[in-house]
Coordinates of all heavy atoms in Angstrom, one line a residue:
M228 N 109.7 79.3 128.8 CA 109.7 80.7 129.4 C 109.0 80.7 130.7 O 108.0 80.0 130.9 CB 109.0 81.6 128.4 CG 109.9 82.2 127.4 SD 109.1 83.6 126.6 CE 108.8 82.9 125.0
K229 N 109.4 81.5 131.6 CA 108.8 81.7 132.8 C 107.5 82.5 132.6 O 107.4 83.3 131.6 CB 109.7 82.5 133.8 CG 110.9 81.7 134.2 CD 111.7 82.5 135.1 CE 113.0 81.8 135.5 NZ 113.9 82.6 136.4
A230 N 106.5 82.3 133.5 CA 105.2 83.0 133.3 C 105.5 84.5 133.3 O 104.7 85.3 132.7 CB 104.3 82.6 134.4
F231 N 106.5 85.0 134.1 CA 106.7 86.4 134.1 C 107.0 87.0 132.8 O 106.6 88.1 132.5 CB 107.9 86.7 135.1 CG 108.3 88.1 135.1 CD1 107.6 89.1 135.7 CD2 109.5 88.5 134.3 CE1 108.0 90.4 135.6 CE2 109.8 89.8 134.3 CZ 109.1 90.8 134.9
L232 N 107.7 86.3 131.9 CA 108.1 86.9 130.6 C 106.9 87.3 129.8 O 106.8 88.3 129.2 CB 109.0 85.9 129.9 CG 110.4 85.7 130.4 CD1 111.1 84.6 129.5 CD2 111.2 86.9 130.4
F233 N 105.9 86.4 129.9 CA 104.6 86.7 129.2 C 103.9 87.9 129.8 O 103.2 88.6 129.1 CB 103.7 85.5 129.2 CG 102.5 85.6 128.4 CD1 102.5 85.7 127.0 CD2 101.3 85.8 129.1 CE1 101.3 85.8 126.3 CE2 100.1 86.0 128.4 CZ 100.1 86.0 127.0
A234 N 104.2 88.2 131.0 CA 103.4 89.2 131.7 C 104.0 90.6 131.5 O 103.4 91.6 131.9 CB 103.4 88.9 133.2
L235 N 105.2 90.7 131.0 CA 105.8 92.1 130.8 C 104.9 92.8 129.8 O 104.9 92.5 128.6 CB 107.2 92.0 130.3 CG 107.9 93.3 130.1 CD1 108.0 94.0 131.5 CD2 109.3 93.1 129.5
A236 N 104.1 93.7 130.3 CA 103.0 94.3 129.5 C 103.3 95.7 128.9 O 102.9 96.0 127.9 CB 101.7 94.4 130.2
A237 N 104.1 96.5 129.7 CA 104.2 97.9 129.2 C 105.5 98.5 129.7 O 106.0 98.2 130.8 CB 103.1 98.7 129.8
I238 N 106.1 99.2 128.8 CA 107.3 100.0 129.1 C 106.9 101.5 128.7 O 106.6 101.7 127.5 CB 108.5 99.6 128.4 CG1 108.9 98.2 128.9 CG2 109.7 100.5 128.6 CD1 108.9 97.2 127.9
S239 N 106.9 102.4 129.6 CA 106.5 103.7 129.2 C 107.7 104.6 129.4 O 108.5 104.5 130.3 CB 105.4 104.2 130.2 OG 104.2 103.4 130.0
V240 N 107.8 105.6 128.5 CA 108.9 106.6 128.6 C 108.3 108.0 128.6 O 107.4 108.3 127.9 CB 109.8 106.4 127.3 CG1 110.9 107.5 127.3 CG2 110.3 105.0 127.2
F241 N 108.8 108.7 129.6 CA 108.3 110.1 129.8 C 109.5 111.0 129.9 O 110.5 110.7 130.5 CB 107.5 110.2 131.1 CG 106.4 109.3 131.2 CD1 106.5 108.1 131.8 CD2 105.1 109.7 130.7 CE1 105.4 107.2 131.9 CE2 104.0 108.9 130.9 CZ 104.2 107.7 131.5
T242 N 109.4 112.2 129.3 CA 110.4 113.2 129.6 C 110.1 113.7 131.0 O 109.0 113.6 131.5 CB 110.4 114.3 128.5 OG1 109.0 114.8 128.4 CG2 110.9 113.9 127.2
I243 N 111.1 114.3 131.6 CA 111.0 114.7 133.0 C 109.9 115.6 133.2 O 109.8 116.7 132.5 CB 112.4 115.3 133.5 CG1 113.4 114.2 133.5 CG2 112.2 115.8 134.9 CD1 114.8 114.7 133.8
S244 N 109.0 115.3 134.1 CA 107.9 116.2 134.5 C 107.4 115.8 135.8 O 107.1 114.6 136.1 CB 106.8 116.0 133.4 OG 105.6 116.7 133.9
S245 N 107.3 116.7 136.7 CA 106.8 116.4 138.1 C 105.4 115.9 138.1 O 104.9 115.3 139.1 CB 107.0 117.6 139.0 OG 106.2 118.7 138.5
A246 N 104.6 116.2 137.0 CA 103.2 115.7 137.0 C 103.1 114.2 136.7 O 102.0 113.7 136.9 CB 102.5 116.5 135.9
Q247 N 104.2 113.6 136.3 CA 104.1 112.1 136.0 C 104.3 111.3 137.2 O 105.4 110.9 137.6 CB 105.2 111.8 134.9 CG 105.0 112.6 133.7 CD 103.7 112.4 133.0 OE1 103.1 111.4 133.1 NE2 103.2 113.5 132.5
E248 N 103.3 111.0 138.0 CA 103.4 110.3 139.2 C 102.5 109.1 139.2 O 101.6 108.9 140.0 CB 103.1 111.2 140.4 CG 104.1 112.3 140.7 CD 105.5 111.8 141.0 OE1 105.7 110.7 141.5 OE2 106.4 112.5 140.6
G249 N 102.6 108.2 138.2 CA 101.8 107.0 138.1 C 102.5 105.8 138.7 O 103.6 106.0 139.3
K250 N 101.9 104.7 138.7 CA 102.4 103.4 139.2 C 103.4 102.8 138.2 O 103.0 102.7 137.0 CB 101.3 102.5 139.5 CG 101.7 101.2 140.1 CD 101.8 101.3 141.6 CE 102.0 99.9 142.2 NZ 103.2 99.7 142.8
Y251 N 104.6 102.5 138.6 CA 105.6 101.9 137.7 C 106.4 101.0 138.6 O 106.5 101.1 139.8 CB 106.4 103.0 137.0 CG 107.0 104.0 137.9 CD1 108.2 103.8 138.5 CD2 106.3 105.2 138.1 CE1 108.8 104.7 139.3 CE2 106.9 106.2 139.0 CZ 108.1 105.9 139.6 OH 108.7 106.9 140.4
S252 N 107.2 100.1 137.9 CA 108.0 99.1 138.5 C 109.3 99.8 139.0 O 109.7 99.6 140.2 CB 108.4 98.0 137.6 OG 107.2 97.3 137.2
F253 N 110.0 100.6 138.2 CA 111.1 101.4 138.5 C 111.4 102.4 137.5 O 110.7 102.4 136.4 CB 112.4 100.5 138.7 CG 112.9 99.9 137.5 CD1 113.9 100.4 136.7 CD2 112.4 98.7 137.0 CE1 114.4 99.9 135.6 CE2 112.9 98.1 135.8 CZ 113.9 98.7 135.1
K254 N 112.2 103.4 137.8 CA 112.5 104.5 136.8 C 114.0 104.8 136.7 O 114.7 104.5 137.7 CB 111.7 105.7 137.1 CG 112.1 106.5 138.3 CD 111.3 107.7 138.5 CE 111.7 108.4 139.8 NZ 110.9 109.6 140.0
E255 N 114.4 105.3 135.6 CA 115.8 105.8 135.4 C 115.7 107.2 134.8 O 114.8 107.4 134.0 CB 116.6 104.8 134.6 CG 116.8 103.5 135.2 CD 117.6 102.5 134.4 OE1 117.7 102.7 133.1 OE2 118.1 101.5 134.9
T256 N 116.7 108.0 135.1 CA 116.7 109.4 134.5 C 118.0 109.6 133.8 O 119.1 109.2 134.3 CB 116.6 110.4 135.7 OG1 115.4 110.2 136.4 CG2 116.6 111.8 135.1
Y257 N 118.0 110.2 132.6 CA 119.2 110.4 131.8 C 119.2 111.9 131.5 O 118.2 112.5 131.1 CB 119.1 109.6 130.5 CG 119.0 108.2 130.8 CD1 117.7 107.6 130.8 CD2 120.1 107.4 131.0 CE1 117.6 106.2 131.1 CE2 120.0 106.0 131.2 CZ 118.7 105.4 131.3 OH 118.6 104.1 131.6
D258 N 120.4 112.5 131.6 CA 120.6 113.9 131.2 C 120.8 113.9 129.7 O 121.8 113.3 129.2 CB 121.9 114.5 131.9 CG 121.7 114.7 133.4 OD1 120.5 114.9 133.8 OD2 122.6 114.5 134.2
I259 N 119.9 114.6 129.0 CA 120.0 114.7 127.6 C 119.7 116.1 127.2 O 118.8 116.8 127.7 CB 118.9 113.8 126.9 CG1 119.0 112.4 127.3 CG2 118.9 113.9 125.4 CD1 120.1 111.6 126.8
S260 N 120.5 116.7 126.3 CA 120.3 118.1 125.8 C 119.5 118.1 124.6 O 119.6 117.2 123.8 CB 121.7 118.7 125.6 OG 122.5 118.7 126.8
A261 N 118.8 119.2 124.4 CA 118.0 119.3 123.2 C 118.9 119.9 122.1 O 119.8 120.6 122.3 CB 116.9 120.3 123.4
P262 N 118.6 119.5 120.8 CA 117.6 118.6 120.4 C 118.1 117.1 120.7 O 119.2 116.8 120.5 CB 117.5 118.8 118.9 CG 118.9 119.3 118.5 CD 119.4 120.1 119.7
A263 N 117.2 116.3 121.2 CA 117.5 115.0 121.6 C 117.0 114.0 120.6 O 115.9 114.2 120.0 CB 116.9 114.7 123.0
S264 N 117.7 112.9 120.5 CA 117.3 111.7 119.7 C 116.9 110.6 120.7 O 117.6 110.2 121.5 CB 118.4 111.3 118.8 OG 118.1 110.0 118.2
L265 N 115.6 110.1 120.5 CA 115.1 109.0 121.4 C 114.8 107.9 120.5 O 114.0 108.0 119.6 CB 113.9 109.5 122.2 CG 113.2 108.5 123.1 CD1 114.2 108.0 124.1 CD2 112.0 109.2 123.7
N266 N 115.3 106.7 120.8 CA 115.1 105.5 120.0 C 114.7 104.4 121.0 O 115.5 104.0 121.9 CB 116.3 105.1 119.2 CG 116.1 103.9 118.4 OD1 115.3 103.0 118.7 ND2 116.8 103.8 117.2
I267 N 113.5 103.8 120.9 CA 113.0 102.8 121.9 C 112.5 101.6 121.1 O 111.7 101.8 120.2 CB 111.9 103.3 122.8 CG1 112.4 104.6 123.5 CG2 111.5 102.3 123.8 CD1 111.3 105.4 124.2
S268 N 112.9 100.4 121.5 CA 112.4 99.2 120.8 C 112.0 98.2 121.9 O 112.8 97.9 122.7 CB 113.5 98.7 119.9 OG 113.1 97.5 119.3
S269 N 110.9 97.6 121.7 CA 110.4 96.6 122.7 C 109.7 95.5 121.9 O 108.9 95.8 121.0 CB 109.5 97.2 123.7 OG 108.9 96.2 124.5
S270 N 110.1 94.2 122.2 CA 109.4 93.1 121.5 C 108.0 92.9 122.0 O 107.2 92.2 121.4 CB 110.3 91.9 121.6 OG 110.5 91.5 123.0
D271 N 107.7 93.4 123.2 CA 106.4 93.3 123.8 C 106.1 94.5 124.7 O 106.9 94.7 125.6 CB 106.2 92.0 124.5 CG 104.8 91.8 125.1 OD1 103.9 92.3 124.6 OD2 104.7 91.1 126.2
G272 N 105.1 95.2 124.5 CA 104.9 96.3 125.4 C 104.4 97.6 124.7 O 104.4 97.6 123.5
N273 N 104.0 98.5 125.5 CA 103.5 99.8 125.0 C 104.5 100.9 125.3 O 105.2 100.8 126.3 CB 102.2 100.2 125.7 CG 101.1 99.2 125.4 OD1 101.0 98.7 124.3 ND2 100.4 98.8 126.5
I274 N 104.6 101.8 124.5 CA 105.6 102.9 124.7 C 104.8 104.2 124.5 O 104.1 104.4 123.6 CB 106.7 102.9 123.6 CG1 107.5 101.6 123.8 CG2 107.6 104.1 123.8 CD1 108.5 101.3 122.7
E275 N 105.0 105.1 125.5 CA 104.3 106.4 125.5 C 105.3 107.5 125.7 O 106.1 107.3 126.7 CB 103.2 106.4 126.5 CG 102.4 107.7 126.6 CD 101.3 107.7 127.6 OE1 101.2 106.7 128.3 OE2 100.6 108.7 127.6
V276 N 105.3 108.5 124.9 CA 106.3 109.6 125.1 C 105.5 110.9 125.4 O 104.6 111.2 124.6 CB 107.2 109.8 123.9 CG1 108.1 111.0 124.1 CG2 108.0 108.5 123.6
I277 N 105.8 111.6 126.5 CA 105.2 112.8 126.8 C 106.2 113.9 126.9 O 107.1 113.8 127.8 CB 104.4 112.6 128.2 CG1 103.4 111.5 128.1 CG2 103.8 114.0 128.6 CD1 102.7 111.2 129.4
P278 N 106.1 114.9 126.1 CA 107.1 116.0 126.2 C 107.0 116.9 127.4 O 105.9 117.1 127.9 CB 106.9 116.8 124.9 CG 105.4 116.6 124.6 CD 105.1 115.2 125.1
A279 N 108.1 117.5 127.7 CA 108.2 118.5 128.8 C 109.2 119.6 128.4 O 110.1 119.3 127.6 CB 108.5 117.9 130.1
A280 N 109.2 120.7 129.1 CA 110.0 121.8 128.7 C 111.3 121.8 129.6 O 111.7 122.8 130.1 CB 109.3 123.1 128.9
V281 N 112.0 120.7 129.7 CA 113.2 120.6 130.4 C 114.2 119.6 129.7 O 113.7 118.9 128.8 CB 113.0 120.0 131.9 CG1 112.1 121.0 132.7 CG2 112.4 118.6 131.8
N282 N 115.5 119.7 130.0 CA 116.4 118.8 129.5 C 116.4 117.5 130.3 O 116.4 117.6 131.5 CB 117.8 119.4 129.4 CG 117.9 120.5 128.4 OD1 117.1 120.6 127.5 ND2 119.0 121.3 128.5
G283 N 116.4 116.4 129.6 CA 116.5 115.1 130.3 C 115.3 114.2 130.0 O 114.3 114.7 129.4
I284 N 115.5 113.0 130.2 CA 114.5 112.0 129.9 C 114.4 111.1 131.2 O 115.4 110.6 131.7 CB 114.8 111.1 128.7 CG1 114.8 112.0 127.4 CG2 113.8 110.0 128.5 CD1 115.2 111.4 126.2
E285 N 113.2 110.9 131.6 CA 112.9 110.0 132.7 C 112.1 108.8 132.1 O 111.1 109.0 131.5 CB 112.0 110.7 133.8 CG 111.8 109.9 135.0 CD 111.2 110.7 136.1 OE1 111.9 111.4 136.9 OE2 109.9 110.7 136.1
V286 N 112.6 107.6 132.3 CA 112.1 106.4 131.8 C 111.4 105.6 132.9 O 112.0 105.3 133.9 CB 113.1 105.5 131.1 CG1 112.5 104.2 130.6 CG2 113.9 106.3 130.1
H287 N 110.1 105.4 132.7 CA 109.3 104.6 133.7 C 109.1 103.2 133.1 O 108.4 103.1 132.1 CB 107.9 105.3 134.0 CG 108.0 106.6 134.6 ND1 107.3 106.9 135.8 CD2 108.7 107.7 134.4 CE1 107.6 108.1 136.2 NE2 108.4 108.6 135.3
Y288 N 109.6 102.2 133.8 CA 109.5 100.8 133.3 C 108.3 100.3 134.1 O 108.2 100.3 135.3 CB 110.7 100.0 133.6 CG 111.9 100.4 132.8 CD1 112.7 101.5 133.2 CD2 112.2 99.8 131.6 CE1 113.8 101.8 132.5 CE2 113.3 100.2 130.8 CZ 114.1 101.2 131.3 OH 115.2 101.6 130.5
I289 N 107.3 99.7 133.3 CA 106.1 99.1 134.0 C 106.0 97.7 133.5 O 105.8 97.4 132.4 CB 104.9 99.9 133.5 CG1 105.0 101.3 133.8 CG2 103.6 99.2 134.1 CD1 103.9 102.2 133.2
A290 N 106.3 96.8 134.5 CA 106.2 95.3 134.2 C 104.9 94.9 135.0 O 104.7 95.2 136.1 CB 107.4 94.6 134.8
K291 N 104.1 94.1 134.3 CA 102.8 93.6 134.8 C 102.7 92.1 134.8 O 103.2 91.5 133.9 CB 101.6 94.2 134.1 CG 101.4 95.7 134.2 CD 100.1 96.1 133.6 CE 99.9 97.6 133.8 NZ 98.6 98.0 133.1
K292 N 102.0 91.6 135.8 CA 101.7 90.2 135.8 C 100.3 90.1 136.4 O 100.0 90.7 137.4 CB 102.6 89.4 136.7 CG 102.4 87.9 136.7 CD 103.4 87.2 137.5 CE 103.2 85.7 137.5 NZ 104.2 84.9 138.2
N293 N 99.4 89.4 135.7 CA 98.0 89.3 136.1 C 97.4 90.7 136.3 O 96.7 91.0 137.2 CB 97.8 88.5 137.4 CG 98.3 87.1 137.2 OD1 98.1 86.5 136.2 ND2 98.9 86.5 138.3
N294 N 97.7 91.6 135.4 CA 97.2 92.9 135.3 C 97.6 93.8 136.5 O 97.0 94.8 136.8 CB 95.7 93.0 135.1 CG 95.3 94.2 134.4 OD1 96.1 94.8 133.6 ND2 94.1 94.7 134.6
E295 N 98.6 93.3 137.3 CA 99.1 94.1 138.5 C 100.6 94.6 138.2 O 101.4 93.8 137.6 CB 99.2 93.2 139.7 CG 97.8 92.7 140.2 CD 97.0 93.9 140.8 OE1 97.6 94.8 141.4 OE2 95.8 93.9 140.6
V296 N 100.9 95.8 138.5 CA 102.2 96.3 138.3 C 103.1 95.7 139.3 O 102.8 95.7 140.5 CB 102.2 97.9 138.4 CG1 103.7 98.4 138.3 CG2 101.4 98.5 137.3
L297 N 104.3 95.1 138.9 CA 105.2 94.5 139.7 C 106.2 95.5 140.3 O 106.7 96.4 139.6 CB 106.0 93.4 139.0 CG 105.2 92.3 138.3 CD1 106.0 91.4 137.5 CD2 104.4 91.5 139.4
D298 N 106.5 95.4 141.6 CA 107.6 96.2 142.2 C 108.9 95.5 142.0 O 109.1 94.4 142.6 CB 107.3 96.4 143.7 CG 108.3 97.3 144.4 OD1 108.9 98.1 143.7 OD2 108.4 97.2 145.6
M299 N 109.7 96.0 141.1 CA 111.0 95.4 140.8 C 112.0 96.5 140.5 O 111.7 97.6 140.3 CB 110.9 94.4 139.6 CG 110.5 95.1 138.3 SD 110.6 94.0 136.9 CE 110.2 92.4 137.4
N300 N 113.3 96.0 140.3 CA 114.4 96.9 139.9 C 114.9 96.5 138.5 O 114.5 95.5 138.0 CB 115.4 97.0 140.9 CG 116.1 95.7 141.3 OD1 116.1 94.8 140.4 ND2 116.6 95.5 142.5
R301 N 115.9 97.2 138.0 CA 116.4 96.9 136.7 C 117.1 95.5 136.7 O 117.0 94.8 135.7 CB 117.4 98.0 136.3 CG 118.0 97.7 134.9 CD 119.0 98.8 134.5 NE 119.6 98.5 133.3 CZ 120.1 99.4 132.4 NH1 120.1 100.6 132.8 NH2 120.7 99.0 131.3
Q302 N 117.8 95.2 137.8 CA 118.5 93.9 137.8 C 117.5 92.8 137.7 O 117.8 91.8 137.0 CB 119.3 93.8 139.1 CG 120.0 92.5 139.3 CD 120.8 92.4 140.6 OE1 120.9 93.4 141.3 NE2 121.4 91.3 140.8
T303 N 116.4 92.9 138.4 CA 115.4 91.8 138.3 C 114.8 91.7 136.9 O 114.6 90.6 136.4 CB 114.2 92.1 139.3 OG1 114.8 92.2 140.6 CG2 113.2 91.0 139.3
L304 N 114.5 92.9 136.3 CA 114.0 92.8 134.9 C 115.0 92.2 133.9 O 114.7 91.4 133.1 CB 113.7 94.3 134.4 CG 113.2 94.4 133.0 CD1 111.9 93.7 132.8 CD2 113.0 95.8 132.6
E305 N 116.3 92.5 134.1 CA 117.4 92.0 133.3 C 117.6 90.5 133.4 O 118.2 89.8 132.6 CB 118.7 92.7 133.5 CG 118.7 94.1 132.9 CD 120.0 94.9 133.1 OE1 120.6 94.7 134.2 OE2 120.3 95.6 132.2
E306 N 117.0 89.9 134.5 CA 117.1 88.4 134.7 C 116.0 87.8 133.8 O 116.1 86.6 133.5 CB 116.8 88.0 136.1 CG 117.9 88.4 137.1 CD 117.5 88.3 138.5 OE1 116.4 87.8 138.8 OE2 118.4 88.6 139.4
E307 N 115.1 88.5 133.3 CA 114.0 88.0 132.5 C 114.1 88.4 131.0 O 113.7 87.6 130.1 CB 112.6 88.5 133.0 CG 112.4 88.1 134.5 CD 112.3 86.6 134.7 OE1 112.0 85.8 133.8 OE2 112.6 86.2 135.8
V308 N 114.6 89.6 130.7 CA 114.7 90.1 129.4 C 116.0 90.7 129.1 O 116.8 91.1 130.1 CB 113.6 91.1 129.0 CG1 112.2 90.5 129.2 CG2 113.7 92.4 129.9
S309 N 116.4 90.9 127.9 CA 117.6 91.7 127.5 C 117.2 93.2 127.5 O 116.3 93.6 126.8 CB 118.1 91.2 126.1 OG 119.1 92.1 125.7
L310 N 117.9 94.0 128.3 CA 117.7 95.4 128.3 C 119.0 96.1 128.0 O 120.0 96.0 128.8 CB 117.2 95.8 129.7 CG 117.0 97.3 130.0 CD1 116.0 97.9 129.1 CD2 116.6 97.5 131.5
E311 N 119.0 96.8 126.8 CA 120.2 97.5 126.4 C 119.9 99.0 126.4 O 119.0 99.4 125.8 CB 120.6 97.1 125.0 CG 121.0 95.6 124.9 CD 121.2 95.2 123.4 OE1 121.6 96.1 122.6 OE2 121.0 94.1 123.1
V312 N 120.7 99.8 127.2 CA 120.5 101.2 127.3 C 121.8 101.9 126.9 O 122.8 101.6 127.6 CB 120.0 101.6 128.7 CG1 119.9 103.2 128.7 CG2 118.7 100.9 129.1
T313 N 121.8 102.7 125.9 CA 123.0 103.5 125.6 C 122.6 105.0 125.4 O 121.5 105.3 124.9 CB 123.6 103.0 124.2 OG1 122.6 103.1 123.2 CG2 124.2 101.6 124.4
H314 N 123.4 105.9 126.0 CA 123.1 107.3 125.8 C 124.3 108.1 125.8 O 125.4 107.7 126.3 CB 122.1 107.7 127.0 CG 122.7 107.8 128.3 ND1 123.3 108.9 128.8 CD2 122.9 106.8 129.3 CE1 123.8 108.7 130.0 NE2 123.6 107.4 130.3
D315 N 124.2 109.3 125.3 CA 125.2 110.3 125.3 C 124.6 111.7 125.5 O 123.4 111.7 125.9 CB 126.2 110.3 124.1 CG 125.4 110.5 122.8 OD1 124.4 111.2 122.8 OD2 125.8 110.0 121.8
A316 N 125.2 112.7 125.2 CA 124.7 114.1 125.5 C 123.4 114.4 124.8 O 122.6 115.2 125.3 CB 125.8 115.1 125.2
N317 N 123.2 113.8 123.6 CA 122.0 114.2 122.8 C 121.2 113.0 122.4 O 120.3 113.2 121.5 CB 122.4 114.9 121.5 CG 123.1 116.3 121.9 OD1 124.3 116.3 122.0 ND2 122.3 117.3 122.1
S318 N 121.4 111.8 122.9 CA 120.6 110.7 122.4 C 120.5 109.6 123.5 O 121.3 109.5 124.4 CB 121.3 110.0 121.2 OG 122.5 109.4 121.5
L319 N 119.4 108.9 123.4 CA 119.1 107.8 124.3 C 118.5 106.7 123.4 O 117.6 106.9 122.6 CB 118.1 108.2 125.4 CG 117.5 107.1 126.3 CD1 118.7 106.5 127.1 CD2 116.4 107.6 127.2
K320 N 119.0 105.5 123.6 CA 118.5 104.3 122.9 C 118.2 103.2 123.9 O 119.1 102.9 124.7 CB 119.5 103.8 121.9 CG 119.0 102.6 121.1 CD 120.1 102.2 120.0 CE 119.5 101.0 119.3 NZ 120.5 100.5 118.2
I321 N 117.0 102.6 123.9 CA 116.6 101.6 124.7 C 116.1 100.4 123.9 O 115.2 100.6 123.0 CB 115.5 102.0 125.7 CG1 116.0 103.2 126.6 CG2 115.1 100.8 126.6 CD1 115.0 103.8 127.5
V322 N 116.6 99.2 124.1 CA 116.2 98.0 123.3 C 115.9 97.0 124.4 O 116.7 96.6 125.2 CB 117.3 97.5 122.3 CG1 116.8 96.3 121.6 CG2 117.6 98.6 121.3
I323 N 114.7 96.5 124.3 CA 114.2 95.4 125.2 C 113.8 94.2 124.4 O 113.0 94.3 123.4 CB 113.0 95.9 126.1 CG1 113.5 97.1 126.9 CG2 112.5 94.7 127.0 CD1 112.4 97.7 127.6
K324 N 114.4 93.0 124.7 CA 114.1 91.8 123.9 C 113.9 90.7 124.8 O 114.6 90.6 125.9 CB 115.2 91.5 122.9 CG 115.5 92.4 121.8 CD 116.6 91.9 121.0 CE 117.1 93.0 120.0 NZ 118.2 92.5 119.2
Y325 N 113.1 89.7 124.5 CA 113.0 88.5 125.2 C 114.2 87.6 124.7 O 114.7 87.8 123.6 CB 111.7 87.7 124.8 CG 110.5 88.3 125.5 CD1 109.6 89.0 124.8 CD2 110.3 88.2 126.9 CE1 108.5 89.6 125.4 CE2 109.2 88.7 127.5 CZ 108.3 89.4 126.7 OH 107.2 90.0 127.4
P326 N 114.7 86.7 125.6 CA 115.8 85.8 125.2 C 115.4 85.1 123.9 O 114.3 84.8 123.7 CB 115.9 84.9 126.4 CG 115.3 85.6 127.5 CD 114.2 86.5 126.9
N327 N 116.4 84.8 123.1 CA 116.3 84.0 121.8 C 115.4 84.7 120.8 O 114.9 84.1 119.9 CB 115.7 82.6 122.1 CG 116.6 81.9 123.1 OD1 117.8 81.9 123.0 ND2 116.0 81.2 124.0
E328 N 115.4 86.1 120.8 CA 114.7 86.8 119.8 C 115.7 87.4 118.8 O 116.7 87.9 119.2 CB 113.8 87.9 120.3 CG 112.5 87.3 120.9 CD 111.5 88.4 121.2 OE1 111.8 89.6 120.9 OE2 110.4 88.1 121.6

């Protein structure tokens, strides 16, 4: 395994909120109507969900190496881990796995 794989430390998920302006590697936004179903699975990392009074989910991916947040995009992350994202009008499912898990 590359050293980077061990370094993937956190994946955070936030519902859309303008107050969420932390440091992250990249983010994606999904239009989801309430009531929403959210399913997140990660083989390594932390997951945090913060509710907001709007429709939609904003996902902040945080990849770290040597305790520093890496500036990367989804394509770069997918070169290191398996990232499966499926969504429809009322649900979002994210699964992140290391290769061979």
Side-chain angles (χ1 to χ4, degrees):
M228 271 195 250
K229 296 180 182 179
F231 172 76
L232 290 178
F233 183 73
L235 184 63
I238 293 117
S239 297
V240 177
F241 302 92
T242 52
I243 295 175
S244 172
S245 60
Q247 301 305 321
E248 293 300 329
K250 179 90 172 114
Y251 51 87
S252 300
F253 68 97
K254 71 180 177 181
E255 295 181 340
T256 303
Y257 302 93
D258 292 327
I259 305 288
S260 300
S264 170
L265 177 62
N266 182 329
I267 306 166
S268 173
S269 174
S270 59
D271 181 29
N273 301 317
I274 299 170
E275 182 177 5
V276 178
I277 301 172
V281 296
N282 288 342
I284 296 176
E285 187 172 272
V286 180
H287 293 234
Y288 293 86
I289 302 169
K291 291 185 177 182
K292 182 175 184 177
N293 298 326
N294 209 27
E295 295 289 325
V296 175
L297 302 175
D298 183 21
M299 65 169 31
N300 58 28
R301 180 177 176 160
Q302 181 179 353
T303 304
L304 180 63
E305 288 179 324
E306 292 171 2
E307 304 295 335
V308 298
S309 168
L310 174 60
E311 298 173 26
V312 178
T313 54
H314 71 94
D315 60 29
N317 296 93
S318 67
L319 173 64
K320 180 178 181 180
I321 301 171
V322 179
I323 300 170
K324 295 181 189 176
Y325 286 108
N327 302 320
E328 281 191 3

